[in-house]
Amino acid sequence: MNERDSEAVAAMLRARGYRIVHDEDECDILLLNTCSIRDLAEQKAIGKAGHLAARKRRQPEFVLGLLGCMAQNRGAALLDQLPDLDLIVGTQKFHRVPGYLDNLRAARAAGVPVGATIVDVAEEADSQNSIRDHVLADRQVTAFVSIQQGCNMDCTFCIVPKTRGDERSRPMDDIVAECRTLAQNGVREITLLGQIVTSYGRRDYAHAGGTTPFVQLLERLHEIDGLARLRFTSPHPRGFKQDLIAAYGRLPKLCPCVHLPLQSGSNRILRAMNRPYSRERYLELVAALRAVRPDMTFSTDIIVGFPDESEDDFAQTRELFAAVNYDMAYIFKYSVRSGTPAATLPGQVPEGIKEERNQVLLRMLEANSRRRNHALVGTVQEVLVEGPDRKGLRYMGRTPGNRTVHFAAEPRLIGELAPVHIARATTAALYGDLVPAGVES
Ligand code: SAM
């Protein structure tokens, strides 16, 4: 989501005549878009900004701005640690950045002394609609589309409702138009983004014949010519009602790949987290989704070391983690976020225990990934060809289940769905050969 926000700001700046450079030593203006989800992310951003501030002292015309969640969370208080910042712009004000930069530069050009840092972290109605412009690379095949900002879930560990504000959805027509334009420009796969995408439009659109606004949106996007694949992240288990589960059976462009944040496998901890589902309900959802699409792959978010998480609670997480057989998981050590209800709960878990539990799940995940990737050796997978891989030695693409595949190909195949025979697997990726047209596997 932060990458998408940064891309939208870059597109707005480009439209004003700014040039985007890829080497920070070449730039006159540097904007750091920041994350607050865990303390580590904030510490990294402060370290980076502090380092850049030294350049500002050597080169006073250099402009340094801090955007996004951390700007929103800390506002002007950031100046205690980073007094040299020119801009502090929150999550509802990304679209103001070009105007602020124009003013700053005009004032400097006119020799007007520019004193105080610009701090704008106010709320702004409809700001969710400003994340819509793209900076498409040549022959770009995949794109992210923001459909919603904010979150109303109030999980006790999470700072997002504070940094991103209340849940606000973009108009469905605007999203459809944006996706159509992307498809006309060659994009074949779109990933819809939001904090809780499954809540999309619930206050703005009526349910139509038992269909939630989110599924209505999927149906409309499914109609777009040229689009081959649809994905979304991140949903909430609560959002998987019958209509969404059934959508996997009738919308072939919807990839059989679900990110289903679990957080904990213990009902006691789920309650303390204010997560409105149980481990039993979660397992029912996994089974229902697998019943509709037996090839469904799952990924998840887990927090280890939530306050008062006992060995028994963790054993239940471990057990559920093994039962679902995840393809991918983001495992987080609980990070105290000041101002959230969990920050002051008794029974804070020592860092050493969090690290141990983190390692246990990481080892299980690695074994899973290896096993599941090796199970695909000898099969033929449909791969959307994205372009040369990072090393530039082969091409890369992804399977519907979101596994990365490397293979030899030609530029004309970029954007095509191609059958690839899987010859070899590692934990992280698959390697194979294109199946020539007309050859049966
Ligand atoms: N849709 C998701 C859900 O159902 O909760 C929300 C995604 S959230 C923005 C990203 C992930 O960050 C969460 O799922 C959670 O695992 C993790 N996270 C949030 N707050 C955290 C904290 N205080 N410490 C560690 N991890 C945290």
Side-chain angles (χ1 to χ4, degrees), residues 58 84 100-101 113 121 168 182-183 259 264 272 293 315 329 348-349 355 372 382 387 389 391 405 409-410 417 420 435:
R58 287 195 308 274
D84 296 311
Y100 286 140
L101 290 176
V121 294
R168 288 112 52 219
L182 286 169
H259 183 70
S264 170
R293 288 292 305 254
Q348 297 286 332
V349 175
E355 182 54 32
R372 294 187 66 102
E382 181 194 68
D389 61 15
K391 292 187 184 156
V405 187
E410 292 164 27
L417 291 169
V420 175
V435 178

CSV table of all heavy atoms in Angstrom, one decimal, residues 58 84 100-101 113 121 168 182-183 259 264 272 293 315 329 348-349 355 372 382 387 389 391 405 409-410 417 420 435:
chain,number,residue,atom,x,y,z
A,58,ARG,N,24.9,20.2,4.4
A,58,ARG,CA,25.9,20.5,3.4
A,58,ARG,C,25.4,21.2,2.2
A,58,ARG,O,26.0,22.0,1.6
A,58,ARG,CB,26.6,19.2,2.9
A,58,ARG,CG,27.4,18.5,3.8
A,58,ARG,CD,28.3,17.4,3.1
A,58,ARG,NE,27.5,16.5,2.2
A,58,ARG,CZ,26.9,15.4,2.6
A,58,ARG,NH1,27.0,15.1,3.9
A,58,ARG,NH2,26.2,14.7,1.8
A,84,ASP,N,15.5,19.2,10.7
A,84,ASP,CA,15.8,19.7,9.4
A,84,ASP,C,14.8,19.4,8.3
A,84,ASP,O,14.9,19.7,7.2
A,84,ASP,CB,17.2,19.2,8.9
A,84,ASP,CG,18.3,19.7,9.8
A,84,ASP,OD1,18.3,20.9,10.0
A,84,ASP,OD2,19.1,18.9,10.3
A,100,TYR,N,2.9,21.9,-2.1
A,100,TYR,CA,3.8,22.4,-1.1
A,100,TYR,C,5.2,22.5,-1.7
A,100,TYR,O,5.9,23.4,-1.4
A,100,TYR,CB,3.8,21.4,0.1
A,100,TYR,CG,2.6,21.4,0.9
A,100,TYR,CD1,2.0,20.3,1.4
A,100,TYR,CD2,2.0,22.7,1.3
A,100,TYR,CE1,0.8,20.3,2.2
A,100,TYR,CE2,0.9,22.7,2.1
A,100,TYR,CZ,0.3,21.5,2.5
A,100,TYR,OH,-0.8,21.6,3.3
A,101,LEU,N,5.6,21.6,-2.5
A,101,LEU,CA,6.9,21.6,-3.1
A,101,LEU,C,7.1,22.8,-4.0
A,101,LEU,O,8.1,23.6,-4.0
A,101,LEU,CB,7.3,20.3,-3.9
A,101,LEU,CG,7.5,19.1,-3.0
A,101,LEU,CD1,7.7,17.9,-3.9
A,101,LEU,CD2,8.7,19.3,-2.1
A,113,PRO,N,12.9,34.1,2.8
A,113,PRO,CA,13.4,33.1,3.7
A,113,PRO,C,12.3,32.0,4.0
A,113,PRO,O,11.2,32.4,4.3
A,113,PRO,CB,13.8,33.9,5.0
A,113,PRO,CG,13.3,35.2,4.7
A,113,PRO,CD,12.8,35.4,3.3
A,121,VAL,N,-1.1,17.2,8.7
A,121,VAL,CA,-1.6,15.9,9.0
A,121,VAL,C,-3.1,15.9,9.3
A,121,VAL,O,-3.6,15.0,10.0
A,121,VAL,CB,-0.8,15.3,10.2
A,121,VAL,CG1,0.7,15.1,9.8
A,121,VAL,CG2,-0.9,16.2,11.4
A,168,ARG,N,-12.7,4.5,4.4
A,168,ARG,CA,-13.3,5.3,3.3
A,168,ARG,C,-13.1,4.6,2.0
A,168,ARG,O,-11.9,4.3,1.6
A,168,ARG,CB,-12.8,6.7,3.2
A,168,ARG,CG,-13.1,7.7,4.3
A,168,ARG,CD,-11.9,8.0,5.2
A,168,ARG,NE,-10.8,8.5,4.4
A,168,ARG,CZ,-9.5,8.2,4.7
A,168,ARG,NH1,-9.2,7.4,5.7
A,168,ARG,NH2,-8.5,8.7,4.0
A,182,LEU,N,-5.8,0.9,-17.2
A,182,LEU,CA,-4.6,0.1,-17.0
A,182,LEU,C,-4.6,-1.0,-18.1
A,182,LEU,O,-3.6,-1.3,-18.7
A,182,LEU,CB,-4.6,-0.4,-15.6
A,182,LEU,CG,-4.2,0.6,-14.5
A,182,LEU,CD1,-4.5,0.0,-13.1
A,182,LEU,CD2,-2.8,1.0,-14.6
A,183,ALA,N,-5.7,-1.7,-18.2
A,183,ALA,CA,-5.8,-2.8,-19.2
A,183,ALA,C,-5.5,-2.3,-20.6
A,183,ALA,O,-4.8,-3.0,-21.3
A,183,ALA,CB,-7.2,-3.5,-19.1
A,259,HIS,N,-5.1,-14.3,0.9
A,259,HIS,CA,-4.4,-13.9,2.0
A,259,HIS,C,-5.4,-13.8,3.2
A,259,HIS,O,-6.3,-13.0,3.1
A,259,HIS,CB,-3.7,-12.6,1.8
A,259,HIS,CG,-2.9,-12.1,2.9
A,259,HIS,ND1,-1.7,-12.7,3.3
A,259,HIS,CD2,-3.0,-11.1,3.8
A,259,HIS,CE1,-1.2,-12.1,4.4
A,259,HIS,NE2,-2.0,-11.2,4.7
A,264,SER,N,-3.6,-15.1,15.4
A,264,SER,CA,-3.3,-16.1,16.4
A,264,SER,C,-4.2,-17.3,16.3
A,264,SER,O,-5.3,-17.1,15.8
A,264,SER,CB,-3.5,-15.5,17.8
A,264,SER,OG,-3.4,-16.5,18.8
A,272,ALA,N,-8.6,-11.3,23.0
A,272,ALA,CA,-7.8,-10.1,23.5
A,272,ALA,C,-7.4,-9.2,22.4
A,272,ALA,O,-7.2,-8.0,22.6
A,272,ALA,CB,-6.6,-10.7,24.3
A,293,ARG,N,-12.3,-24.2,-4.6
A,293,ARG,CA,-11.1,-24.3,-5.5
A,293,ARG,C,-10.1,-25.2,-4.8
A,293,ARG,O,-9.3,-24.7,-3.9
A,293,ARG,CB,-10.5,-22.9,-5.6
A,293,ARG,CG,-11.3,-21.9,-6.5
A,293,ARG,CD,-11.3,-22.3,-8.0
A,293,ARG,NE,-10.0,-22.5,-8.6
A,293,ARG,CZ,-9.4,-21.6,-9.5
A,293,ARG,NH1,-10.0,-20.5,-9.8
A,293,ARG,NH2,-8.3,-21.9,-10.1
A,315,ALA,N,1.2,-22.9,21.1
A,315,ALA,CA,1.1,-24.3,20.6
A,315,ALA,C,-0.2,-24.4,19.7
A,315,ALA,O,-0.2,-25.0,18.6
A,315,ALA,CB,1.0,-25.3,21.7
A,329,ALA,N,3.7,-16.7,4.6
A,329,ALA,CA,3.1,-16.0,5.9
A,329,ALA,C,4.0,-14.9,6.2
A,329,ALA,O,5.3,-14.9,6.0
A,329,ALA,CB,3.1,-17.1,7.0
A,348,GLN,N,3.3,-8.5,29.2
A,348,GLN,CA,4.1,-8.3,27.9
A,348,GLN,C,5.2,-9.4,27.8
A,348,GLN,O,5.8,-9.8,28.8
A,348,GLN,CB,4.7,-6.9,27.9
A,348,GLN,CG,3.7,-5.8,28.0
A,348,GLN,CD,3.0,-5.5,26.6
A,348,GLN,OE1,3.6,-5.8,25.5
A,348,GLN,NE2,1.8,-5.0,26.7
A,349,VAL,N,5.3,-10.0,26.7
A,349,VAL,CA,6.2,-11.2,26.5
A,349,VAL,C,7.6,-10.7,26.2
A,349,VAL,O,7.8,-9.8,25.4
A,349,VAL,CB,5.6,-12.0,25.3
A,349,VAL,CG1,6.5,-13.2,25.0
A,349,VAL,CG2,4.2,-12.5,25.6
A,355,GLU,N,11.2,-14.0,19.8
A,355,GLU,CA,12.1,-14.4,18.8
A,355,GLU,C,12.1,-15.9,18.6
A,355,GLU,O,12.0,-16.4,17.4
A,355,GLU,CB,13.5,-13.9,19.1
A,355,GLU,CG,14.6,-14.2,18.1
A,355,GLU,CD,14.3,-13.7,16.7
A,355,GLU,OE1,13.6,-12.7,16.5
A,355,GLU,OE2,14.7,-14.4,15.7
A,372,ARG,N,5.9,-27.7,-0.9
A,372,ARG,CA,4.9,-27.4,-1.9
A,372,ARG,C,5.5,-27.1,-3.2
A,372,ARG,O,5.0,-27.4,-4.3
A,372,ARG,CB,4.0,-26.2,-1.4
A,372,ARG,CG,3.2,-26.6,-0.2
A,372,ARG,CD,2.3,-25.5,0.2
A,372,ARG,NE,1.3,-25.4,-0.9
A,372,ARG,CZ,0.0,-25.8,-0.8
A,372,ARG,NH1,-0.4,-26.4,0.3
A,372,ARG,NH2,-0.8,-25.6,-1.7
A,382,GLU,N,0.3,-22.5,-15.5
A,382,GLU,CA,0.0,-21.3,-16.3
A,382,GLU,C,0.7,-20.1,-15.6
A,382,GLU,O,0.5,-19.8,-14.5
A,382,GLU,CB,-1.5,-21.1,-16.3
A,382,GLU,CG,-1.8,-19.9,-17.2
A,382,GLU,CD,-3.3,-19.4,-17.0
A,382,GLU,OE1,-3.6,-18.9,-15.9
A,382,GLU,OE2,-4.1,-19.6,-17.9
A,387,GLY,N,8.3,-10.3,-17.4
A,387,GLY,CA,9.5,-9.7,-18.0
A,387,GLY,C,10.7,-10.3,-17.5
A,387,GLY,O,10.7,-11.4,-16.8
A,389,ASP,N,13.9,-11.4,-15.3
A,389,ASP,CA,14.0,-11.5,-13.9
A,389,ASP,C,15.1,-10.5,-13.4
A,389,ASP,O,15.8,-9.9,-14.2
A,389,ASP,CB,14.2,-12.9,-13.4
A,389,ASP,CG,15.5,-13.6,-13.9
A,389,ASP,OD1,16.4,-12.8,-14.4
A,389,ASP,OD2,15.6,-14.8,-13.8
A,391,LYS,N,18.1,-10.8,-12.3
A,391,LYS,CA,19.4,-10.9,-12.8
A,391,LYS,C,19.5,-10.7,-14.3
A,391,LYS,O,20.6,-10.7,-14.8
A,391,LYS,CB,19.9,-12.4,-12.4
A,391,LYS,CG,20.1,-12.5,-11.0
A,391,LYS,CD,20.8,-13.9,-10.7
A,391,LYS,CE,20.9,-14.1,-9.2
A,391,LYS,NZ,21.0,-15.6,-8.9
A,405,VAL,N,8.1,-18.1,-11.0
A,405,VAL,CA,8.7,-19.1,-11.9
A,405,VAL,C,9.7,-18.4,-12.8
A,405,VAL,O,9.4,-17.3,-13.3
A,405,VAL,CB,7.6,-19.7,-12.8
A,405,VAL,CG1,8.2,-20.9,-13.6
A,405,VAL,CG2,6.4,-20.2,-12.0
A,409,ALA,N,12.5,-17.1,-22.2
A,409,ALA,CA,11.4,-16.7,-23.0
A,409,ALA,C,11.9,-15.6,-23.9
A,409,ALA,O,13.1,-15.3,-24.0
A,409,ALA,CB,10.2,-16.2,-22.1
A,410,GLU,N,10.9,-15.0,-24.6
A,410,GLU,CA,11.3,-13.9,-25.6
A,410,GLU,C,10.4,-12.7,-25.2
A,410,GLU,O,9.3,-12.9,-24.7
A,410,GLU,CB,11.0,-14.3,-27.0
A,410,GLU,CG,11.8,-15.4,-27.5
A,410,GLU,CD,11.2,-16.1,-28.7
A,410,GLU,OE1,10.5,-15.4,-29.5
A,410,GLU,OE2,11.5,-17.2,-29.0
A,417,LEU,N,-0.2,-15.3,-21.0
A,417,LEU,CA,-0.3,-16.4,-20.1
A,417,LEU,C,0.3,-17.6,-20.9
A,417,LEU,O,-0.2,-18.0,-21.9
A,417,LEU,CB,-1.8,-16.7,-19.8
A,417,LEU,CG,-2.5,-15.7,-19.0
A,417,LEU,CD1,-4.0,-15.9,-19.0
A,417,LEU,CD2,-2.0,-15.6,-17.6
A,420,VAL,N,4.2,-23.4,-18.5
A,420,VAL,CA,5.6,-23.6,-18.2
A,420,VAL,C,5.7,-25.0,-17.5
A,420,VAL,O,5.0,-25.2,-16.6
A,420,VAL,CB,6.2,-22.5,-17.4
A,420,VAL,CG1,7.6,-22.8,-17.0
A,420,VAL,CG2,6.1,-21.1,-18.1
A,435,VAL,N,6.3,-24.5,-22.5
A,435,VAL,CA,5.8,-25.6,-23.3
A,435,VAL,C,5.5,-25.1,-24.7
A,435,VAL,O,4.6,-24.2,-24.8
A,435,VAL,CB,4.5,-26.3,-22.7
A,435,VAL,CG1,4.0,-27.4,-23.5
A,435,VAL,CG2,4.8,-26.7,-21.2
